[in-house]
Amino acid sequence: MNNYNAKKEWTKDILNEKEMAFPSEYVIRIFKGSYPRLNFDKLSYKGKRICDTGCGDGRNMVLLSQCGFDTYGVELTKEIVNKVTSDLNKLNVLSEIRVGTNQNIPFDDNFFDFILSWNSCYYMGENRDFSTHVKEFSRILKKDGYLILSIPKKTCFIYHGSEKLKDGYQIIRNDPFNIRNGEILRMFEDEKEIENEFSKYFKNFIFASVHDDCFGFDYHWHLVICQKE
């Protein structure tokens, strides 16, 4: 029997944080950098709506606000939402954060120009059908809007010692941070499988790869950018 309670574990973790972390390096690169296969128009961000689903402690929302976006977020519990909203307000970052999950994002249809799902979209919670996540991302995103994802490769440290539930789904059993043990994640074999999963609603896929041995942690990630059909 799996007694894992994601809301309890993540609420405890985030409420215990003493200070907000820095934005993810690759979120900075995506929105601020220029690359052969990716170069967003930095002047177009102002006034555009972006939703950070699974926004955690709000670390990426500070950067996104500085870029000019109108920032919104989603997190698992009211306790997290209240803390992150308060912490962002202290930094003069006004953001609307609501309680929700990957399969239930509480915003209107076609509301956002961008969705950022950083280390988040693959958490299943009580759900066992990843396609509902893809459909929900599509629902709240405008036509031609951008979906930006980070997804762990199957060699990522998160999956070390994990247990197969069914094809494509793993139960985490050996989380070094003791937050995810018992959580079910959607694990992808490769970029092709990711594109196949999302292609019903999304187009123009761009992939990047992070393969980093970070002092003993295998930080292996797929980075994915695509647009709503």
Side-chain angles (χ1 to χ4, degrees), residues 44-62:
S44 71
Y45 298 154
K46 187 171 179 58
K48 296 289 179 66
R49 294 173 181 160
I50 188 167
C51 185
D52 187 354
T53 64
C55 62
D57 64 1
R59 66 190 69 179
N60 292 321
M61 302 180 82
V62 177

Side-chain angles (χ1 to χ4, degrees), residues 7 73-79 81 97-101 104 106:
K7 292 181 180 180
V74 175
E75 257 303 340
L76 284 174
T77 68
K78 189 63 175 176
E79 292 87 349
V81 167
I97 308 174
R98 298 181 182 180
V99 177
T101 63
N104 182 19

Side-chain angles (χ1 to χ4, degrees), residues 30-34 39-48 66-69 114:
I30 287 168
F31 286 102
K32 302 284 281 187
S34 299
N39 185 12
F40 282 139
D41 179 1
K42 317 304 185 291
L43 299 179
S44 71
Y45 298 154
K46 187 171 179 58
K48 296 289 179 66
Q66 291 172 347
C67 286
F69 286 106
F114 289 78

Side-chain angles (χ1 to χ4, degrees), residues 33 50 76 92 99-100 115 117 147 215 226:
I50 188 167
L76 284 174
N92 295 318
V99 177
I115 297 172
S117 182
L147 175 63
F215 305 104
C226 52

Side-chain angles (χ1 to χ4, degrees), residues 29-208:
R29 286 177 179 270
I30 287 168
F31 286 102
K32 302 284 281 187
S34 299
Y35 302 96
R37 288 184 287 115
L38 179 69
N39 185 12
F40 282 139
D41 179 1
K42 317 304 185 291
L43 299 179
S44 71
Y45 298 154
K46 187 171 179 58
K48 296 289 179 66
R49 294 173 181 160
I50 188 167
C51 185
D52 187 354
T53 64
C55 62
D57 64 1
R59 66 190 69 179
N60 292 321
M61 302 180 82
V62 177
L63 168 74
L64 297 172
S65 178
Q66 291 172 347
C67 286
F69 286 106
D70 294 339
T71 58
Y72 299 77
V74 175
E75 257 303 340
L76 284 174
T77 68
K78 189 63 175 176
E79 292 87 349
I80 297 175
V81 167
N82 289 343
K83 181 181 188 302
V84 176
T85 300
S86 175
D87 290 346
L88 289 172
N89 285 342
K90 293 173 185 176
L91 297 172
N92 295 318
V93 176
L94 299 180
S95 184
E96 183 175 343
I97 308 174
R98 298 181 182 180
V99 177
T101 63
N102 284 315
Q103 62 265 21
N104 182 19
I105 303 173
F107 289 97
D108 290 340
D109 296 357
N110 308 306
F111 189 73
F112 293 106
D113 302 283
F114 289 78
I115 297 172
L116 175 67
S117 182
W118 204 255
N119 301 346
S120 174
C121 75
Y122 45 87
Y123 284 87
M124 299 309 302
E126 298 301 317
N127 182 28
R128 299 294 182 270
D129 182 2
F130 185 79
S131 67
T132 62
H133 297 195
V134 180
K135 184 177 181 180
E136 186 70 346
F137 291 146
S138 174
R139 180 187 67 79
I140 64 170
L141 192 60
K142 295 177 182 178
K143 179 177 172 55
D144 293 325
Y146 286 95
L147 175 63
I148 299 160
L149 310 166
S150 66
I151 298 174
K153 299 179 180 180
K154 63 180 182 179
T155 56
C156 183
F157 75 91
I158 289 174
Y159 291 122
H160 293 179
S162 64
E163 174 187 342
K164 182 177 179 179
L165 176 65
K166 61 179 181 177
D167 285 347
Y169 296 85
Q170 298 285 125
I171 302 177
I172 303 307
R173 297 298 192 197
N174 191 33
D175 178 17
F177 303 109
N178 294 313
I179 301 171
R180 305 175 184 88
N181 289 321
E183 176 67 274
I184 296 172
L185 304 186
R186 173 68 168 95
M187 186 179 78
F188 292 90
E189 286 291 321
D190 50 30
E191 293 177 357
K192 183 178 180 180
E193 186 178 11
I194 294 172
E195 184 168 349
N196 287 342
E197 185 75 70
F198 281 86
S199 60
K200 181 177 180 180
Y201 298 99
F202 293 90
K203 62 184 179 181
N204 298 335
F205 289 82
I206 304 171
F207 288 93

